[in-house]
Amino acid sequence: MSFFTTGMNFKKAIICDLDGTLALSKSPLSTEMAEVLCGILRNHYLVVISGGSYTQFDKQFLSHLNCPEELLKNLYLFPTMGGTCYVYDSESNAWKQLYEEILTIEERDLIKNAISDSLRESNMDFSEIYGELVDDRVTQVTLSCKGQEAPLLVKQSWDTDQSKRKILVEILKGKIPQFEIRIGGTTSIDITKKGIDKAFAIQKFKELSNLSDEDIIFVGDALFTGGNDAPVKTTGVDYIQESGPSETIAFLRQYL
Ligand SMILES: [Mg+2]
């Protein structure tokens, strides 16, 4: 920890993963986490990057944050791995989309067909599914292997070592190599335009904020090889691996 106790005061922006870092998968922010994040926003930029859609951010993150409105100018949201970015517009009192790296309807259809074919070819059991398997998020198509409404306990036990999704990703890469195909949260596989990942989102944030690598630290639960935070290691920013929201809170408290 010595590295962070010497370096942390110089960080202007803290970039966090959402699922598994700020909150449990698709679960709301805790009251304690919301309080800590509001404290962070008083003196730092807070950036949140996730594979989830803006709608998911709203439901899971924004509606539980409860910060004074004047702090929201320091918050940047990057849904769908930075396929899009939202900032708060204090004139209209609304979240404003800054850009959108859309997949065309044809591209999304191609991806959905490749998913159907890959599920069939994998010979895995997809009979017990909760809600829709595939979510079209315009900038990203997400396959939730137990369905989007699956209970957390069902999701957590399905693919603990990612071995099932590694097989599915390999099959998909054979069919649609022109897209970025990544293992997401607990059961998901996210497909976007090539080159869209957390490193891309960080680059976008640096451009929008005029900050540089040394101003930034990233916090995530999946920086291991193959994890959806791993692309961050290809950037020049500092990063720290956490095991879940309670460790993240302890880390963030050092910045308050
Ligand atoms: Mg995560």
Side-chain angles (χ1 to χ4, degrees), residues 128-133 146-151 154:
E128 196 194 327
I129 300 300
Y130 304 79
E132 295 291 322
L133 270 173
K146 293 304 285 178
Q148 289 182 68
E149 313 300 331
V154 170

Side-chain angles (χ1 to χ4, degrees), residues 17 19-21 198 221-222 228-229:
D17 163 57
D19 279 344
T21 299
K198 284 183 182 162
D221 70 315
N228 69 10
D229 298 326

Side-chain angles (χ1 to χ4, degrees), residues 6-255:
T6 54
M8 66 185 185
N9 291 330
F10 302 103
K11 300 300 178 189
K12 294 177 182 156
I14 303 172
I15 306 188
C16 297
D17 163 57
L18 180 55
D19 279 344
T21 299
L22 294 181
L24 298 175
S25 177
K26 289 200 174 181
S27 307
L29 278 190
S30 69
T31 313
E32 187 186 6
M33 181 65 86
E35 279 170 18
V36 169
L37 294 179
C38 291
I40 295 289
L41 282 167
R42 291 186 187 281
N43 293 305
H44 299 83
Y45 289 112
L46 175 67
V47 182
V48 186
I49 311 173
S50 163
S53 61
Y54 173 75
T55 311
Q56 181 64 28
F57 264 72
D58 194 29
K59 191 165 109 185
Q60 182 181 359
F61 181 84
L62 286 177
S63 63
H64 302 275
L65 192 59
N66 296 320
C67 276
E69 198 190 325
E70 72 265 20
L71 298 181
L72 296 178
K73 65 178 189 309
N74 293 335
L75 180 58
Y76 285 72
L77 306 179
F78 287 91
T80 60
M81 293 296 176
T84 181
C85 174
Y86 285 78
V87 293
Y88 193 72
D89 179 26
S90 50
E91 277 174 31
S92 59
N93 299 322
W95 289 88
K96 182 175 77 176
Q97 186 181 48
L98 295 185
Y99 67 86
E100 189 177 36
E101 298 278 338
I102 63 157
L103 293 163
T104 64
I105 292 172
E106 291 76 19
E107 286 174 322
R108 283 178 268 152
D109 284 344
L110 194 67
I111 292 168
K112 290 172 201 170
N113 288 334
I115 289 175
S116 304
D117 294 344
S118 301
L119 294 180
R120 209 174 308 117
E121 282 173 34
S122 74
N123 286 322
M124 290 180 203
D125 180 11
F126 291 99
S127 55
E128 196 194 327
I129 300 300
Y130 304 79
E132 295 291 322
L133 270 173
V134 174
D135 190 20
D136 182 341
R137 301 173 183 172
V138 186
T139 51
Q140 174 176 294
V141 176
T142 294
L143 164 64
S144 300
C145 292
K146 293 304 285 178
Q148 289 182 68
E149 313 300 331
L152 188 56
L153 280 175
V154 170
K155 293 201 294 181
Q156 282 173 334
S157 60
W158 182 72
D159 191 25
T160 47
D161 60 357
Q162 303 194 336
S163 57
K164 289 177 181 151
R165 282 174 293 167
K166 279 178 186 158
I167 294 168
L168 288 168
V169 165
E170 282 314 303
I171 301 173
L172 281 163
K173 280 183 176 167
K175 295 183 189 302
I176 44 169
Q178 66 273 46
F179 298 102
E180 199 72 51
I181 305 167
R182 279 180 319 266
I183 290 178
T186 23
T187 63
S188 59
I189 293 173
D190 296 323
I191 305 170
T192 58
K193 277 190 166 177
K194 204 85 181 167
I196 304 233
D197 57 21
K198 284 183 182 162
F200 172 86
I202 288 173
Q203 183 56 38
K204 282 285 188 184
F205 170 67
K206 283 166 57 185
E207 289 166 22
L208 293 165
S209 64
N210 278 320
L211 294 184
S212 49
D213 286 343
E214 53 270 25
D215 298 323
I216 298 170
I217 186 158
F218 176 89
V219 189
D221 70 315
L223 283 147
F224 49 82
T225 304
N228 69 10
D229 298 326
V232 171
K233 295 196 219 170
T234 67
T235 72
V237 309
D238 287 332
Y239 49 82
I240 181 165
Q241 165 82 34
E242 300 291 359
S243 63
S246 54
E247 264 191 37
T248 306
I249 283 180
F251 172 75
L252 292 175
R253 283 197 184 283
Q254 302 173 88
Y255 287 80

